[in-house]
Amino acid sequence: MNVKQSDIAAKLGISRVTVTKALQDSPDISTEMKVKVKQIAEEMDYIPNLTARHLTAKKTRTLGVILPDITNMYFSSIVRGMMEVAERESYHIILTVSREEKTKESENIFKLLSMNVDGLLVCQTLDTVEAEIFEKVKKRKKPLVFFGRPVGFSGYDSIGFDDFLAAEKLTEYLISKGKTKIAHISGDIKSDGGYRLDGFLSAMKKNKLEVNEDWIIKGKFFPEYGYEGFNKIFNAGTLPEVIFCGNGMIAQGVYDAIREKELKIPEDISVVAVDHKKFAEMLYPKLTYIDYPTRTLGCEAMKLIIQKIESKNKKNKIENIILDTFLIENDSLA
Amino acid sequence: MNVKQSDIAAKLGISRVTVTKALQDSPDISTEMKVKVKQIAEEMDYIPNLTARHLTAKKTRTLGVILPDITNMYFSSIVRGMMEVAERESYHIILTVSREEKTKESENIFKLLSMNVDGLLVCQTLDTVEAEIFEKVKKRKKPLVFFGRPVGFSGYDSIGFDDFLAAEKLTEYLISKGKTKIAHISGDIKSDGGYRLDGFLSAMKKNKLEVNEDWIIKGKFFPEYGYEGFNKIFNAGTLPEVIFCGNGMIAQGVYDAIREKELKIPEDISVVAVDHKKFAEMLYPKLTYIDYPTRTLGCEAMKLIIQKIESKNKKNKIENIILDTFLIENDSLA
DNA sequence: CTGAAAGCGCTTACAG
DNA sequence: CTGAAAGCGCTTACAG
């Protein structure tokens, strides 16, 4: 139905092979022939059939990506970075979503392997604990890179951020600014929220600072937890100097609660958080926070998998890369 | 290298065709044979090669989606809806991003056609004005559905929201609540922002209400425009009863500016907007707004394209579907 | 510089 | 119920 190489060949009275080669700019073919073939291809609206090409060639230049949730800016921003590099390097991306379900994750892996992707980039679901399915990928020698979340088992390449270190860094910074009375409203402690809380506690301990129990609120990554969290702290009596929030959404709730109490940020109380830029910068006054360069993560993850693919036969040591996070000084810290 | 059907056939001493059919649950094959084949396939870790399958079958059960920007919640939420339906109907999605570039859009279309997708779902870039590339798609009889943004030319199926109607509806509602002094801070007037502004003006006109020129602020879809917009309105003298914001981000800036003036929402002034749920509900007090059911849009768009694909040969009339938007009454309107 | 031959892994009629 | 034959569109050696 569609125009194919043999149609071009027929029209020109040459063999299909010549067409293939001309289209590939093979040195085998004369320049005039190439020009002629390409022109006819253009005229006939020829579009190559990648399916057929992939069946022959070992490489598809296609990468499979598995994400827990596409509507989460953290992930979508990572994907954006991946797409930039993929495009530059002429790779395609097939994006799938696991919705935090382990079974969906496995299904996606099978689907992507079926599609003959050259490699896999996966951000695991929160409850992926066994390596089983990934062992199968490894057995097939399919390059695989984990990104964006800590990996529960070893023996795989990965790239991501370290929430513990980020929180420690932010806490150290607060301390260096002379703050000692610091409260923490965490996100979900079963995931990143927990690591951030631990990082905070660790830094406090290292600096021999006391942590008021009323000032540790275990919440979730939503504004209402920040709002209620601050009110709990407020009602507990003494006010801390700083509220360290698990992320920007929590900070937003905290902002609202603080304003309701007619307090001023940062004059009366400071607020800081760990988050990615876009959100944090939307608050007034602008939040001082630790930025996770998500787009960079996406770029680097893509570069890593491409490198793994293109050096497939050489012996490759496993890499576990932790990217730097950045402290952004804005107006919410006195 | 990987296990293929012929390996299974060899192991069982039967022909490859029997394997294919058994795996497809063809009525041709005896139940015992099916069980045997499937078991061996499982044992050998057989994964079908979709590339090969697609070359033979006319259908790939793969759909191509083109989005202007993946980090925009409006779009990612639509995609989420699409994925739900696709999964239910056993279709795959290949997601590509145009980054609002017309050339990238064309490239993506070619890429997806090359990959033999069964259909195309596209949300055009803001400056796509000619139908040229889409005419080519049509000529190939490849089903195509536009979604999420108004289409500049006719003759194509589409599904989306009507910003003009949504803004009109919200304005009518304000008027029905006895509001007459309404200001509008718009988003980018070259796109949806403009339609929303027009809808607002239209409703005001229909109701013979005067529109104070100082109360029409043409901004962009970011908080700072809301913040500055409100300050302009504030400094202009009389205060309106309601600020109608082009979207939730603008509303956020307006909230901040209002609080800074020590005014109360909704006691001193009301704020409303047109946006999609997640963002609008994050503000305190919760925003009264027009919700665009983006996920539903994604679901419906997917259903529509699948229907087009599966009824390809029957004559199909062109559909241009406008989905309803919903007024959500919260606490920001007195 | 050009082309004939073989094959990628799977599927679809068609014959037995 | 099982299998031999032909083909999907393209590419890769290999021969001329």
Side-chain angles (χ1 to χ4, degrees):
Chain A
M1 41 164 213
N2 285 336
V3 177
K4 49 201 180 187
Q5 291 187 354
S6 59
D7 297 327
I8 299 174
K11 186 141 193 168
L12 282 163
I14 55 176
S15 98
R16 317 125 125 266
V17 182
T18 310
V19 175
T20 304
K21 289 187 179 169
L23 256 20
Q24 299 178 135
D25 259 331
S26 153
D28 277 8
I29 307 292
S30 68
T31 320
E32 310 100 78
M33 187 49 107
K34 281 184 195 167
V35 173
K36 237 198 288 182
V37 170
K38 286 182 187 169
Q39 195 192 317
I40 298 289
E42 176 86 44
E43 274 174 27
M44 297 178 82
D45 264 338
Y46 170 71
I47 294 186
N49 184 329
L50 283 188
T51 306
R53 183 177 297 167
H54 290 169
L55 190 55
T56 320
K58 337 97 216 103
K59 282 199 63 170
T60 59
R61 296 196 86 82
T62 300
L63 263 14
V65 177
I66 304 181
L67 233 55
D69 176 14
I70 193 181
T71 60
N72 182 324
M73 274 285 292
Y74 176 69
F75 298 121
S76 58
S77 163
I78 290 173
V79 170
R80 187 177 180 155
M82 289 177 174
M83 285 183 162
E84 282 169 21
V85 174
E87 188 184 344
R88 204 162 61 225
E89 304 286 332
S90 313
Y91 276 86
H92 307 140
I93 288 180
I94 297 186
L95 185 65
T96 61
V97 172
S98 63
R99 285 198 254 102
E100 300 287 7
E101 294 166 31
K102 245 167 33 181
T103 40
K104 200 86 206 50
E105 182 174 75
S106 300
E107 279 171 33
N108 284 334
I109 290 186
F110 281 119
K111 189 200 301 192
L112 293 168
L113 290 176
S114 279
M115 290 176 147
N116 282 325
V117 294
D118 289 342
L120 252 17
L121 283 158
V122 357
C123 179
Q124 297 169 282
T125 71
L126 287 175
D127 48 39
T128 301
V129 286
E130 343 77 3
E132 199 188 335
I133 175 87
F134 303 107
E135 284 300 326
K136 287 193 182 173
V137 175
K138 205 188 241 176
K139 215 179 288 164
R140 283 169 182 266
K141 300 219 170 62
K142 203 48 99 181
L144 166 66
V145 169
F146 287 111
F147 68 88
R149 276 186 180 164
V151 184
F153 33 82
S154 60
Y156 293 87
D157 293 294
S158 70
I159 182 165
F161 302 113
D162 188 319
D163 290 296
F164 182 92
L165 290 180
E168 239 190 14
K169 181 197 268 187
L170 182 53
T171 312
E172 292 282 0
Y173 173 74
L174 295 176
I175 295 168
S176 79
K177 289 282 175 185
K179 308 293 178 196
T180 55
K181 297 192 275 176
I182 309 172
H184 185 85
I185 303 178
S186 83
D188 194 325
I189 54 159
K190 282 185 193 152
S191 65
D192 5 356
Y195 297 114
R196 292 178 192 171
L197 172 57
D198 291 345
F200 163 69
L201 294 174
S202 158
M204 292 297 272
K205 198 170 180 182
K206 276 190 198 163
N207 286 276
K208 307 205 167 46
L209 288 174
E210 208 181 320
V211 179
N212 184 333
E213 268 192 25
D214 292 333
W215 292 353
I216 302 294
I217 310 284
K218 290 171 184 167
K220 289 187 177 169
F221 288 125
F222 293 106
E224 45 268 48
Y225 291 89
Y227 184 84
E228 285 160 22
F230 178 78
N231 285 334
K232 275 186 208 155
I233 293 170
F234 186 86
N235 294 330
T238 20
L239 217 57
E241 295 165 301
V242 190
I243 310 281
F244 176 167
C245 304
N247 78 346
M249 299 249 237
I250 293 175
Q252 190 193 343
V254 169
Y255 267 52
D256 286 319
I258 289 176
R259 282 203 183 95
E260 226 170 73
K261 303 290 179 201
E262 317 239 316
L263 296 173
K264 287 261 177 207
I265 304 169
E267 292 81 356
D268 300 320
I269 187 160
S270 296
V271 181
V272 298
V274 170
D275 205 324
H276 59 274
K277 202 181 244 149
K278 201 160 179 185
F279 194 84
E281 303 242 310
M282 270 168 27
L283 300 173
Y284 289 97
K286 282 194 176 170
L287 194 62
T288 287
Y289 69 107
I290 292 268
D291 179 37
Y292 281 22
T294 46
R295 196 148 153 192
T296 307
L297 172 61
C299 293
E300 294 305 317
M302 185 53 72
K303 284 182 199 160
L304 183 57
I305 188 89
I306 290 177
Q307 175 223 312
K308 295 280 162 193
I309 290 167
E310 301 189 343
S311 65
K312 209 171 171 179
N313 300 317
K314 297 166 210 155
K315 53 191 162 225
N316 238 315
K317 44 180 170 327
I318 287 166
E319 298 183 66
N320 292 289
I321 301 171
I322 299 293
L323 291 184
D324 272 349
T325 56
F326 299 95
L327 183 77
I328 312 287
E329 304 182 332
N330 279 319
D331 316 318
S332 67
L333 177 66
Chain B
M1 39 162 218
N2 286 336
V3 177
K4 49 201 178 186
Q5 291 186 354
S6 59
D7 296 327
I8 298 174
K11 187 139 193 172
L12 282 163
I14 56 176
S15 98
R16 317 124 124 267
V17 183
T18 310
V19 174
T20 304
K21 289 188 180 168
L23 257 20
Q24 296 177 139
D25 259 332
S26 154
D28 278 6
I29 307 291
S30 67
T31 321
E32 310 100 78
M33 186 50 106
K34 281 183 195 168
V35 174
K36 237 198 288 184
V37 170
K38 285 182 187 169
Q39 194 192 317
I40 297 289
E42 175 87 44
E43 273 173 28
M44 297 179 83
D45 264 337
Y46 170 71
I47 293 186
N49 184 329
L50 283 188
T51 306
R53 182 177 299 167
H54 291 169
L55 190 55
T56 319
K58 337 95 214 109
K59 282 200 63 171
T60 58
R61 295 197 85 82
T62 301
L63 263 14
V65 177
I66 304 181
L67 234 54
D69 176 14
I70 193 182
T71 61
N72 182 326
M73 273 285 292
Y74 176 69
F75 298 121
S76 57
S77 163
I78 290 174
V79 170
R80 188 178 179 155
M82 290 178 174
M83 286 182 162
E84 282 169 21
V85 174
E87 189 185 343
R88 202 162 62 224
E89 305 286 331
S90 312
Y91 275 84
H92 306 140
I93 288 180
I94 297 187
L95 185 66
T96 62
V97 172
S98 62
R99 285 200 253 100
E100 299 287 7
E101 293 166 31
K102 244 166 32 183
T103 40
K104 201 86 205 52
E105 182 174 74
S106 300
E107 279 172 35
N108 284 334
I109 289 186
F110 281 120
K111 190 201 299 193
L112 292 168
L113 290 176
S114 280
M115 291 175 147
N116 282 325
V117 294
D118 289 342
L120 251 19
L121 282 159
V122 358
C123 179
Q124 296 170 284
T125 71
L126 287 175
D127 47 39
T128 301
V129 285
E130 343 77 5
E132 200 189 334
I133 176 88
F134 303 107
E135 284 300 326
K136 287 193 183 175
V137 175
K138 205 188 243 177
K139 215 179 290 166
R140 284 170 181 264
K141 300 219 170 65
K142 205 45 103 181
L144 166 66
V145 169
F146 287 111
F147 68 87
R149 275 185 181 164
V151 184
F153 33 83
S154 59
Y156 293 87
D157 293 294
S158 69
I159 181 165
F161 302 112
D162 188 318
D163 288 298
F164 182 92
L165 290 180
E168 239 189 15
K169 180 197 271 188
L170 182 53
T171 312
E172 292 283 359
Y173 173 74
L174 295 176
I175 294 168
S176 79
K177 289 282 172 185
K179 307 295 178 194
T180 54
K181 297 191 276 178
I182 309 172
H184 184 85
I185 303 177
S186 83
D188 194 325
I189 55 159
K190 282 184 193 152
S191 63
D192 5 356
Y195 297 113
R196 293 179 193 171
L197 172 57
D198 291 344
F200 162 69
L201 293 175
S202 158
M204 292 297 273
K205 199 170 179 182
K206 277 190 196 162
N207 286 277
K208 307 206 166 46
L209 288 174
E210 208 180 321
V211 179
N212 185 333
E213 267 192 27
D214 292 333
W215 292 353
I216 302 294
I217 309 283
K218 290 172 185 167
K220 289 187 177 168
F221 288 125
F222 293 106
E224 45 266 48
Y225 290 90
Y227 184 84
E228 284 160 22
F230 178 78
N231 285 334
K232 275 186 206 154
I233 292 169
F234 186 87
N235 294 330
T238 20
L239 217 56
E241 294 164 302
V242 189
I243 310 280
F244 176 168
C245 305
N247 78 346
M249 299 251 238
I250 293 175
Q252 189 192 346
V254 169
Y255 268 53
D256 286 319
I258 288 176
R259 283 202 183 95
E260 226 170 73
K261 303 292 180 202
E262 317 238 315
L263 295 172
K264 287 261 176 207
I265 304 168
E267 292 81 355
D268 300 320
I269 187 160
S270 296
V271 182
V272 298
V274 170
D275 205 323
H276 58 275
K277 201 180 244 148
K278 201 160 178 183
F279 194 84
E281 303 243 307
M282 270 167 29
L283 300 173
Y284 290 96
K286 282 193 176 171
L287 195 61
T288 287
Y289 69 107
I290 293 268
D291 179 36
Y292 281 23
T294 46
R295 197 148 152 193
T296 307
L297 172 62
C299 292
E300 294 305 316
M302 184 53 73
K303 285 182 199 161
L304 183 58
I305 188 90
I306 290 177
Q307 175 223 312
K308 295 281 162 194
I309 290 168
E310 300 188 344
S311 65
K312 209 171 171 180
N313 300 318
K314 298 166 209 155
K315 52 194 162 221
N316 238 313
K317 43 179 171 315
I318 287 165
E319 297 183 65
N320 293 290
I321 300 172
I322 300 292
L323 291 184
D324 271 349
T325 55
F326 299 95
L327 183 76
I328 311 288
E329 303 181 331
N330 279 319
D331 316 318
S332 67
L333 177 66

